Amino acid sequence: MNTGAEDAAQTDRMPGRLTALLIDASTRAIGAAEGRVGGVYLRSPTPGLLRLAVLAGLPGPLFRPWWRLHADSPFPAADAYRLGVRVVLPNAAETMRRYPQFAAGLPFPFGSLYVPVAGASRTYGVLTVLRPSAPHAADVLEGVDRVAGLAQDLGAALERLDAGRDAPPVAWEGEPLCVRPPASGRRPGRAGSFGWEPDTGTVTLDEPLCALLGVPAEAAGVPTALGTLTGALAPDDGHRITAALRETAAGSAPRLPLYVRTADGALRMVEL
């Protein structure tokens, strides 16, 4: 488990849990689709207007023309939101053919994909990834399916936020939150490890991991309950790690790293 590189400034525009969910989905989508940039559009308080809420991997000003999109505009994110369908643009030629107005304003050519983020009763926005060009749409479909799974999880999480009695409606106002995606490699001194024994359910953390998670140093090297690990993570992420450990023990380790957040919101990458 190690840190993700992030320089997101604190924002009081939206609840912290919402921003954590959006950043997590954006950064995980980049890895899922072998992309370079990820982001989430959310509905705004203005009917029919989408706003770019999070952008990971690209300076915000480069994408300024697309910070705001009307749901009926001729752009791929708007179509994905309005029609509830995946939009896959494997390369610049396909982008120009289907969305010439969008392609004409791009600062550089790339492939891209757009997946609706929806709950059981409403669509909240669109999860999008910019990636290197591919010859055909079939070459990126596996990545699209993985991103669709992330979008489904995000939609369910946003619906739970919407269900909170005291929580404001899930919507976005203002400029996007721009972050750097997690580093692909481990950095010396910022990686830790743990072992889990499925038969007993105990977990053993090393000293660097205790430091990364904010767990007392005296817990290092001592077999303890799994809750020592999961309790140091955000509640939803603790459940995800538990499920991933069980799948790994059964021989089905996740193909991609998992991005989780500590109880204080710091981003961590986990490889099993």
Side-chain angles (χ1 to χ4, degrees):
M1 182 179 296
N2 66 337
T3 57
E6 178 186 343
D7 61 356
Q10 293 296 322
T11 177
D12 58 3
R13 295 196 306 270
M14 299 296 294
R17 181 56 182 156
L18 175 59
T19 57
L21 287 169
L22 300 180
I23 292 171
D24 184 47
S26 299
T27 53
R28 292 174 63 200
I30 293 173
E34 300 179 351
R36 298 294 182 267
V37 179
V40 179
Y41 281 95
L42 281 186
R43 61 184 186 176
S44 76
T46 302
L49 181 67
L50 300 177
R51 286 187 178 272
L52 183 62
V54 169
L55 182 66
L58 189 70
L62 286 180
F63 224 66
R64 184 181 292 273
W66 302 282
W67 282 6
R68 294 158 42 102
L69 289 177
H70 287 281
D72 59 354
S73 61
F75 292 95
D79 279 357
Y81 177 82
R82 186 181 69 258
L83 302 175
V85 298
R86 306 176 187 181
V87 177
V88 181
L89 304 172
N91 49 53
E94 183 68 4
T95 304
M96 178 62 75
R97 184 183 72 83
R98 296 177 59 183
Y99 298 96
Q101 185 176 342
F102 175 55
L106 295 177
F108 46 83
F110 50 74
S112 57
L113 54 95
Y114 308 81
V115 179
V117 175
S121 58
R122 62 177 57 86
T123 300
Y124 291 99
V126 176
L127 180 60
T128 180
V129 177
L130 310 184
R131 64 178 315 281
S133 295
H136 306 288
D139 298 323
V140 301
L141 289 184
E142 185 176 350
V144 175
D145 287 341
R146 290 194 292 261
V147 172
L150 296 174
Q152 182 177 9
D153 291 345
L154 178 59
L158 296 182
E159 191 164 51
R160 289 193 294 270
L161 280 185
D162 246 349
R165 293 181 179 179
D166 299 326
V170 172
W172 192 267
E173 290 188 90
E175 298 181 357
L177 189 63
C178 299
V179 302
R180 290 182 295 173
S184 58
R186 294 187 173 186
R187 298 184 176 186
R190 297 298 293 168
S193 63
F194 67 91
W196 179 59
E197 177 51 58
D199 292 337
T200 63
T202 58
V203 63
T204 305
L205 286 63
D206 66 7
E207 291 185 7
L209 184 58
C210 288
L212 284 173
L213 297 179
V215 173
E218 53 267 25
V222 180
T224 185
L226 180 59
T228 302
L229 172 64
T230 59
L233 304 175
D236 287 349
D237 290 339
H239 296 318
R240 288 174 51 219
I241 288 296
T242 299
L245 284 171
R246 290 171 178 162
E247 292 171 0
T248 301
S252 300
R255 296 180 58 186
L256 297 169
L258 303 176
Y259 292 102
V260 299
R261 291 195 167 269
T262 61
D264 63 1
L267 190 65
R268 300 288 183 256
M269 183 177 75
V270 185
E271 295 176 291
L272 298 176

